């Protein structure tokens, strides 16, 4: 037991320290490309490769961060609750938008993967890329995908949305906070929602709504949509 602790004790402090420095760097220069999660990934992976430390040891030491992921997602409901009075008046439109966005995210990613020659297993792993990690991994497992690949796709999509999302909004001239928030939550899940909340509180609330709604829609519809997409491409 002591030997195991000696191998993993450094993992959690290292993760927290690097992410803290990444946050400071992002706050200092305020550039979208300096996303703290992206910086942490770029720094930690080379460290593990250079020191030849197994990922399993690193993960075991920082497992508490992974366990806190689900409570963190639930905490995003706080701004949603505070904007509940506005959301109630628009619930039909909001549900419709989230439903269309969820279907589009699932179909587009899966169709492109199959068109590019991916196997059904890889396509199933890509399908839930736009929802938060725990839901994506569960959905992928239920439709024959690989949860680990789904988790990697979720991280990649979230980082891309957080970095380029608001620049794209400016190019497309989308000014309203509600529209921006719904788009970020639908496509870039928790990472995009965190970015939206940093920019505007109302935008973060609508992004939280889309995050949770699209997660539910994806988990309920994916088992029916995936076979249809496979049939169309077979």
């Amino acid at each position: 037991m002591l030997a195991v602790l000696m191998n993993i004790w450094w993992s959690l402090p290292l993760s927290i320290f690097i992410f803290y420095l990444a946050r400071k760097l992002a706050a200092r220069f305020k550039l979208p490309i300096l996303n703290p999660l992206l910086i942490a990934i770029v720094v930690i992976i080379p460290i593990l490769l250079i020191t030849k430390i197994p990922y399993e040891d690193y993960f075991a030491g920082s497992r508490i961060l992974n366990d806190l992921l689900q409570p963190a997602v639930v905490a995003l409901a706080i701004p949603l609750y505070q904007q509940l009075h506005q959301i109630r008046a628009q619930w039909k439109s909001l549900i419709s938008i989230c439903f269309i966005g969820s279907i589009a995210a699932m179909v587009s990613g899966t169709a492109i993967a199959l068109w590019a020659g991916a196997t059904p297993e890889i396509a199933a792993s890509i399908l839930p890329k736009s929802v938060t990690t725990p839901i994506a991994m569960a959905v992928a497992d239920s439709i024959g995908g690989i949860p680990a690949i789904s988790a990697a796709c979720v991280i990649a999509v979230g980082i891309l949305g957080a970095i380029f999302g608001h620049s794209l909004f400016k190019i497309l001239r989308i000014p309203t906070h509600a529209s921006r928030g719904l788009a970020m939550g639908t496509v870039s899940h928790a990472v995009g929602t965190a970015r939206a909340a940093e920019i505007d509180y109302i935008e973060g609330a609508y992004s939280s709504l889309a995050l949770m709604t699209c997660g539910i829609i994806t988990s309920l519809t994916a088992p029916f949509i995936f076979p249809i997409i496979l049939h169309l491409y077979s």
Side-chain angles (χ1 to χ4, degrees):
M1 183 65 179
L2 181 60
V4 174
L5 292 176
M6 290 296 291
N7 287 333
I8 68 174
W9 70 268
W10 49 268
S11 179
L12 182 61
L14 174 68
S15 301
I16 294 175
F17 179 69
I18 291 177
F19 190 80
Y20 173 77
L21 292 181
R23 288 281 298 176
K24 286 289 187 180
L25 186 66
R28 173 74 179 274
F29 294 99
K30 300 185 184 303
L31 295 174
I33 193 66
L34 296 177
N35 182 274
L37 180 58
L38 177 61
I39 295 174
I41 291 173
V42 170
V43 173
I44 290 175
I45 288 179
I47 290 176
L48 297 182
L49 293 174
I50 293 171
T51 58
K52 297 182 179 180
I53 296 172
Y55 172 75
E56 291 75 14
D57 290 349
Y58 169 77
F59 181 78
S62 56
R63 187 180 185 87
I64 187 173
L65 297 177
N66 186 73
D67 294 338
L68 289 173
L69 179 61
Q70 296 183 35
V73 172
V74 174
L76 292 173
I78 294 176
L80 172 63
Y81 174 76
Q82 294 175 337
Q83 299 295 323
L84 197 59
H85 60 288
Q86 295 185 26
I87 293 171
R88 282 176 177 169
Q90 305 170 335
W91 70 270
K92 291 182 180 179
S93 298
L94 296 176
I95 295 296
S96 299
I97 291 168
C98 291
F99 181 80
I100 294 171
S102 296
I103 300 300
M106 287 187 285
V107 171
S108 60
T110 308
I112 292 172
L114 291 171
W115 174 77
T119 64
E121 187 179 36
I122 297 299
S125 306
I126 294 174
L127 182 141
K129 62 181 175 18
S130 295
V131 296
T132 191
T133 306
I135 297 176
M137 295 178 70
V139 169
D141 187 57
S142 69
I143 61 176
I146 303 172
I149 293 179
S150 295
C153 291
V154 167
I155 293 172
V157 168
I159 291 175
L160 287 172
I163 293 174
F164 299 110
H166 286 85
S167 298
L168 186 59
F169 293 150
K170 290 179 181 179
I171 293 172
L172 297 177
R173 298 182 180 180
I174 301 175
T176 61
H177 295 304
S179 300
R180 293 183 173 206
L182 289 171
M184 290 292 282
T186 298
V187 177
S188 297
H189 50 82
V191 180
T193 298
R195 176 63 177 162
E198 288 179 356
I199 293 177
D200 183 82
Y201 194 78
I202 296 177
E203 187 173 319
Y206 278 93
S207 188
S208 298
L209 169 66
L211 163 70
M212 292 182 290
T213 305
C214 291
I216 295 171
I217 292 171
T218 299
S219 62
L220 292 176
T221 59
F224 302 99
I225 289 177
F226 184 62
I228 295 174
I229 300 175
L230 284 181
H231 177 72
L232 293 175
Y233 274 82
S234 61

